[in-house]
Amino acid sequence: MSQQQISLPAKLINGGIAGIVGVTCVFPIDLAKTRLQNQRQGQQVYKSMMDCLIKTVRSEGYFGMYRGAAVNLTLVTPEKAIKLAANDFFRHHLSKDGKGQTVFKEMLAGCGAGMCQVVITTPMEMLKIQLQDAGRLAAQQQKPVMMSPTKLVATNTMLSRSYNSGTVVSAPRAVSATQIAKDLLRTQGIQGLYRGLGATLIRDVPFSIVYFPLFANLNRLGKPSPEGSSPFYWAFLSGCVAGSTAAVAVNPCDVVKTRLQSLNKGSSEEAYNGVVDCVSKIMQKEGPSAFLKGAGCRALVIAPLFGIAQVMYFAGIGEYILDNSPLNLLLA
């Protein structure tokens, strides 16, 4: 790769397609992860990932598992495209000295990619989490847990609360990602959408530092020769192993990020004033094990997501689309 000119448009297309395919496949598990991470001791609505998904389907219907998917599908294309393309860009420039890639250089490239992607990741996660967690908050107020779809629509108005005061405003309307974004911009400005930026950086930068070097070295093991390419199944498996490993490694940071970005709190759920305050309160009230909430779900989300991403990437789908685009065919 160090000797090749990077085709940035192709990399952006590869990352975008991979993100859309991957998110569509694993979004319900991501929803379960968010709800499990936001649960406090003594207020558990869900016992496990499967319990969460079953109760979600029963109370909200099949499409309840895809709450927040629209905003994720909209923004995952630029997010994954930036992440993968930035890593390629930094790897390319860090290997210009002719000495090849070292693990340290691969970690630097991953660090740069993680820092670039948060521009899109932070507002995407901010909006997605509000929609994903609405069902948990509604279920927490309804005993037993199961509730009718009409009640769910009514309790979705919890998302209409004042983001500053923390009090619930009873308004009989469901809230979309667009409405949440407008409310945040009106009340808090652009920084409202970037709430939890520090926690997102703390999660995504270490993730990329672990993921990209690990993937590169695992994928290298599947190459028949130093100049050859690994089979697609090896790229998929390498992406899965590297992704799940990095996901579990940074799961404590993901728990902190999820808690900080959740605008709406259930009964007796306290707010946090920054990363340090959040970590301190979780340790005091829930113990170290709370930082591993949703770790299994996150591994199941990230593994196929990045496995699919790497297959798309190495298959050169973007290059094929560009080479066969009408403009290229006319110029040929």
Side-chain angles (χ1 to χ4, degrees):
M1 183 179 294
S2 62
Q3 303 303 318
Q4 297 174 358
Q5 183 66 36
I6 297 175
S7 173
L8 186 58
K11 303 305 181 186
L12 294 174
I13 292 172
N14 284 330
I17 295 174
I20 291 173
V21 173
V23 166
T24 302
C25 294
V26 300
F27 192 84
I29 305 174
D30 186 63
L31 178 136
K33 180 217 66 154
T34 298
R35 294 186 177 185
L36 290 171
Q37 286 182 340
N38 263 331
Q39 288 191 139
R40 272 56 159 187
Q41 282 187 344
Q43 299 176 331
Q44 284 89 347
V45 177
Y46 313 109
K47 298 176 182 178
S48 63
M49 179 188 75
M50 286 306 300
D51 182 54
C52 178
L53 293 176
I54 290 170
K55 287 177 178 176
T56 298
V57 172
R58 286 176 178 172
S59 61
E60 305 171 46
Y62 174 79
F63 291 105
M65 295 191 297
Y66 284 88
R67 283 185 166 275
V71 65
N72 214 28
L73 287 170
T74 301
L75 296 178
V76 76
T77 297
E79 188 224 18
K80 286 292 176 286
I82 289 172
K83 186 186 190 81
L84 296 173
N87 180 68
D88 256 11
F89 175 82
F90 289 120
R91 282 174 62 91
H92 176 74
H93 284 278
L94 286 170
S95 61
K96 277 186 172 180
D97 56 7
K99 296 180 181 178
Q101 291 289 342
T102 63
V103 174
F104 179 69
K105 287 182 179 179
E106 289 173 340
M107 292 174 71
L108 280 178
C111 177
M115 293 182 72
C116 290
Q117 78 170 86
V118 297
V119 175
I120 301 295
T121 304
T122 305
M124 178 184 77
E125 292 276 313
M126 184 71 187
L127 298 175
K128 181 191 72 171
I129 285 172
Q130 314 318 314
L131 297 172
Q132 285 184 328
D133 203 38
R136 179 190 69 88
L137 293 170
Q140 194 180 81
Q141 291 194 344
Q142 302 291 329
K143 298 296 179 182
V145 171
M146 288 181 63
M147 55 187 168
S148 67
T150 55
K151 286 183 180 179
L152 178 65
V153 172
T155 52
N156 270 345
T157 59
M158 295 179 69
L159 285 171
S160 305
R161 70 173 60 190
S162 168
Y163 297 120
N164 293 320
S165 67
T167 58
V168 179
V169 178
S170 297
R173 62 187 180 94
V175 178
S176 66
T178 303
Q179 186 59 51
I180 296 171
K182 287 179 179 178
D183 289 346
L184 283 170
L185 288 171
R186 186 180 66 252
T187 58
Q188 299 181 22
I190 191 67
Q191 64 266 30
L193 285 176
Y194 281 88
R195 177 173 172 169
L197 175 62
T200 307
L201 276 168
I202 292 171
R203 182 197 68 170
D204 288 347
V205 171
F207 178 92
S208 296
I209 289 173
V210 173
Y211 172 77
F212 285 110
L214 182 56
F215 169 77
N217 286 279
L218 288 174
N219 193 55
R220 196 174 294 130
L221 296 176
K223 293 182 178 180
S225 65
E227 304 301 323
S229 300
S230 59
F232 81 93
Y233 69 85
W234 191 270
F236 175 78
L237 291 175
S238 298
C240 288
V241 172
S244 58
T245 302
V248 173
V250 302
N251 195 74
C253 304
D254 190 55
V255 172
V256 173
K257 183 198 73 66
T258 300
R259 294 282 182 94
L260 286 173
Q261 288 189 318
S262 296
L263 298 172
N264 307 291
K265 309 295 181 184
S267 57
S268 304
E269 291 181 359
E270 57 190 346
Y272 305 104
N273 298 313
V275 173
V276 175
D277 181 57
C278 183
V279 172
S280 176
K281 287 179 178 176
I282 291 175
M283 281 292 291
Q284 289 175 7
K285 300 194 174 183
E286 300 175 60
S289 61
F291 291 105
L292 294 178
K293 285 184 176 181
C297 293
R298 184 160 164 75
L300 289 174
V301 168
I302 297 298
L305 186 61
F306 278 86
I308 293 168
Q310 293 300 347
V311 169
M312 292 281 186
Y313 213 53
F314 282 87
I317 303 297
E319 287 85 344
Y320 177 82
I321 291 174
L322 288 177
D323 289 343
N324 292 277
S325 67
L327 182 60
N328 264 3
L329 293 175
L330 287 173
L331 295 175

